[in-house]
Amino acid sequence: MRERDLIIVGGGPAGLSAAKIALESGLSVTLIERAHDLGGQLVKQTHKFFGSKSEYAKTRGIDIAKILIADLEAYSSKLEIYQDTTVLAMYPDHVLTAIQGRNYMKWKAKAIIIATGASEKFLAFENNDIPGIYGAGAIQTLMNQYGIMPGSEVVMVGSGNIGLIVSYQLIQAGVKVKAVLEASDHIGGYLVHASKLVRLGVPIKTNTTVKRAYGTTKIERIDTVRLDPQWQEVEGSEESIDCDALCISVGLSPLHQLLSMSGCEMIYINELGGLVPKKNEQYETTMPRVFACGDVTGIEEASSAMVEGKLAGLMASYSLGYEHPQFETLKAETLHQLQNLRQGPCGIKIRQGLEKAGEAL
Amino acid sequence: MSEKDIIICRCEDVTLAELRECLEAGYTTFEEIKRILRIGMGPCQGQTCANLIQREIAKYLKQPTESIPTHKTRPLTSGVVLQDIAEAEDE
Ligand SMILES: Cc1cc2nc3c(=O)[nH]c(=O)nc-3n(C[C@H](O)[C@H](O)[C@H](O)COP(=O)(O)OP(=O)(O)OC[C@H]3O[C@@H](n4cnc5c(N)ncnc54)[C@H](O)[C@@H]3O)c2cc1C
């Protein structure tokens, strides 16, 4: 058993930001990341980010990742990073197990921060297992990380920011986006992203979803269907669209497993994407000295993931007797930033979700 | 609509038709259905299907999704070769 002060699971914006603050506080940090690269979702984001200026808005996602990673370099003597390493389990006595290749490892940590992010939601429709049906994240990974075209004619399901941005990235890569389907009666993402697509001639069809896919070894065509205000299919409204790839972008759900298996109290909240941990204002779960931050505590965005990471890093260090030199200022600042990020019409969902969880801002 | 062509759990190849049959037979909790159909017991451990199943149960019982008990999550999050655990060095 390897004994450690602080272990952070997940090297996305939340985990990286937490690591930096904990290192600044004087702690030794172990960071464990399943993927080969650090950066989480950021490594496949080629677009300039929205969000707040202090959290790198207008910088490309992939460049934000580089900044966050470079920020840790000064502390390399106190920072231990495991990449290509999947944390397999967390137990109530703060024991973590992980696998790197064929190497099985066991740790015990005084404090733990879970920053595992989220995974994509799936959709139920006929023949939804034909090759050529992807999640938006998979398409981004293929296209932006590995330079592989997912197809030549794509239909996107979902008009949230991810659906809109990935549609635009597909067009940039030379792929034809035949339509964006949206089940609800309005476009989910920011209008700036939607307008860009419409100007390029992509129809965005609201009250419409995918009903079935056709093809045997590869997708060839889909049928769409219109939905009435009660989300019931409108008879006779089916239309066909030829395509060789279908991209599903219908939301994310938190990767909660490590938290729920170890006995942290969990709660299911639609607005936050599914099962999330109960936590206090300091992002500590119901398990003492186990903190959580980023998308795993509720689907939001990179800006809030970074701020939450800072707060979790700050509080985890404090809980072990390491007070950051600017503890009070940073604590007040991060709480204030979170409040700001969640203001306005775009923050409604997250505010409602937090309220349901009993964590009003 | 052909519910037997709609995959709900990709890991264990479970269709919506099978899930509906289970519900009709009176098994209306995730844990019960898991024991019969193996939903959520494959490589992704329910991360992909849980939301869909949650919603189907809710629809069937005419209750809000959030009131449906979620399935129990157990170690491990990913498949591991037993030999690797057995041969692991304990530092
Ligand atoms: C297409 C798209 C566009 C976006 N655009 C914007 C934008 O413009 N502005 C904005 O603010 N946000 C944007 N976001 C959202 C933003 O990317 C996420 O909210 C943010 O990345 C969440 O950070 P995180 O650290 O919580 O999780 P992630 O970035 O998902 O990182 C989690 C990390 O944990 C690792 N991990 C998971 N499980 C384990 C395990 N068991 N063991 C070890 N490691 C594990 C994962 O491999 C991953 O690297 C966008 C997202 C997408 C998909």
Side-chain angles (χ1 to χ4, degrees), chain B residues 22-60:
Chain B
C22 232
L23 291 168
E24 294 291 343
Y27 302 107
T28 55
T29 68
F30 204 124
E31 286 299 312
E32 287 171 316
I33 300 171
K34 174 162 144 186
R35 282 160 177 74
I36 297 165
L37 294 177
R38 290 191 54 86
I39 48 166
M41 292 175 79
C44 91
Q45 290 287 296
Q47 179 65 18
T48 316
C49 65
N51 285 307
L52 292 178
I53 290 162
Q54 201 78 6
R55 207 181 315 148
E56 283 306 320
I57 296 175
K59 234 196 295 179
Y60 183 80

Side-chain angles (χ1 to χ4, degrees), chain A residues 10 13-14 33-34 40-41 45 47 49-50 87 116 162 294-295 301-302:
Chain A
E33 168 55 53
R34 180 171 67 180
Q41 292 293 325
Q45 307 306 340
H47 65 285
F49 266 42
F50 48 82
V87 174
T116 44
I162 296 181
D295 277 355
E301 51 191 47

Side-chain angles (χ1 to χ4, degrees), chain B residues 51-80:
Chain B
N51 285 307
L52 292 178
I53 290 162
Q54 201 78 6
R55 207 181 315 148
E56 283 306 320
I57 296 175
K59 234 196 295 179
Y60 183 80
L61 296 176
K62 298 192 171 61
Q63 283 171 12
T65 325
E66 289 168 329
S67 69
I68 306 298
T70 53
H71 70 293
K72 175 125 183 72
T73 311
R74 293 189 176 82
L76 312 169
T77 59
S78 166
V80 181

